[in-house]
Amino acid sequence: ESQVAAVKNIHINLYLFWGMVIFTVLFANAPYINWLIMPVNQFVVTIHEMSHAVVTWLTGGAVLGMTTVPDGAGHGGLTHSLGGMALFVDQAGYLGTTFFGCLLIYLSQFPRLSRHLLTFMGGAMILGALCFTLPGLINPGWFVQSALSLVIEVLMGLAFILAGRKLKPALANLMILFLAVQTALNSLELIWILVPHALGLSGSGFTDATNLARATMIPAIFWSLSWMFTSIVCLGLTLRFTYGAFLFKGMSKITTAYVKPKKN
């Protein structure tokens, strides 16, 4: 019976996952629907900037402040840092978001972990806000953005912790599935925006790709396309071993893999 229940859960998650993917692709920019996805976009921006901040720390730099709200110059968020290895720090935002989205897709296969995962993400978000966003309050030029970012990040963190404590496992898993789909697709969409910018066809100012181009003398379009290629490969491999049964294996094979015949 437990094996049959396990297969049933696999089928439900498969349908939910691909249903969310199709829904997001078709209706993400539809009126009113984009209001539903807007908080998730804020979540993705936070993951992006925290990836920059964490890698700055890991490569010996210091984070002077982090914002996750628009600055009016085309940036959804900014990480102000001193030192660190630019080769890794500048790539961390887009690739970190992709890797995190892939990790969520993988972990969403295990409904029993969902509540704990939400609680952990909430705690990590609040800790990141205190470590990376709070220091920006001492800089007058960043104060307003830092204050808004701090409030939003702490509220998101508390919301995740509350969800982890109060939601039933099935609803918690549904929330993880939704975040996984949105984060993974959003990461690809954001990277695609870099391509016309890197070619000088859209926007002005700086991006992670142009910053890395200045540091390495390698054109920004190379970095934009390499991040896109890496993201597509990572997502493809993740789907291959998670919810890609319809695309790669067929339902009968994945069902057989999970329901083994009993020995006599």
Side-chain angles (χ1 to χ4, degrees):
E1 292 181 2
S2 61
Q3 290 177 329
V4 173
V7 171
K8 183 178 179 180
N9 288 334
I10 293 169
H11 286 198
I12 292 173
N13 272 32
L14 278 168
Y15 294 133
L16 285 174
F17 179 84
W18 287 110
M20 288 181 185
V21 170
I22 295 170
F23 175 83
T24 302
V25 171
L26 295 179
F27 301 108
N29 295 317
Y32 303 109
I33 298 297
N34 55 359
W35 286 95
L36 175 65
I37 299 177
M38 188 178 297
V40 183
N41 292 339
Q42 185 65 47
F43 171 74
V44 174
V45 170
T46 302
I47 297 301
H48 179 108
E49 297 305 331
M50 282 191 178
S51 298
H52 282 307
V54 169
V55 174
T56 297
W57 266 15
L58 292 177
T59 57
V63 178
L64 306 179
M66 184 185 79
T67 63
T68 54
V69 295
D71 64 349
H75 305 113
L78 290 171
T79 299
H80 306 279
S81 60
L82 180 65
M85 299 179 65
L87 180 62
F88 300 108
V89 172
D90 290 331
Q91 296 193 75
Y94 291 103
L95 294 183
T97 304
T98 295
F99 295 154
F100 187 79
C102 291
L103 179 62
L104 281 185
I105 291 173
Y106 175 76
L107 293 177
S108 66
Q109 298 177 105
F110 310 102
R112 293 182 180 180
L113 296 178
S114 296
R115 294 178 63 186
H116 301 295
L117 182 57
L118 287 171
T119 302
F120 174 79
M121 287 196 304
M125 187 161 291
I126 293 174
L127 180 62
L130 296 177
C131 291
F132 304 135
T133 306
L134 187 61
L137 294 176
I138 65 175
N139 189 306
W142 311 333
F143 179 83
V144 174
Q145 289 174 304
S146 296
L148 289 173
S149 300
L150 184 64
V151 171
I152 292 173
E153 291 158 20
V154 170
L155 288 177
M156 278 199 299
L158 292 174
F160 281 134
I161 293 174
L162 182 63
R165 292 175 61 88
K166 298 296 184 181
L167 289 182
K168 294 181 179 180
L171 289 177
N173 186 238
L174 184 62
M175 186 173 178
I176 293 295
L177 270 171
F178 181 73
L179 289 172
V181 170
Q182 299 304 321
T183 303
L185 293 181
N186 201 308
S187 66
L188 274 179
E189 180 182 0
L190 290 175
I191 293 175
W192 174 247
I193 293 174
L194 287 180
V195 174
H197 189 283
L199 294 172
L201 303 176
S202 173
S204 59
F206 62 90
T207 66
D208 292 338
T210 57
N211 284 342
L212 197 52
R214 284 193 291 268
T216 62
M217 304 304 292
I218 299 174
I221 187 60
F222 168 82
W223 297 111
S224 300
L225 293 176
S226 68
W227 297 341
M228 180 176 291
F229 175 77
T230 302
S231 295
I232 292 172
V233 170
C234 288
L235 286 171
L237 289 174
T238 302
L239 292 176
R240 173 68 174 79
F241 296 105
T242 55
Y243 298 109
F246 290 121
L247 299 179
F248 301 103
K249 295 180 179 180
M251 277 309 296
S252 59
K253 291 185 179 181
I254 193 170
T255 301
T256 302
Y258 280 86
V259 181
K260 298 180 181 179
K262 293 182 179 180
K263 296 182 179 179
N264 296 327

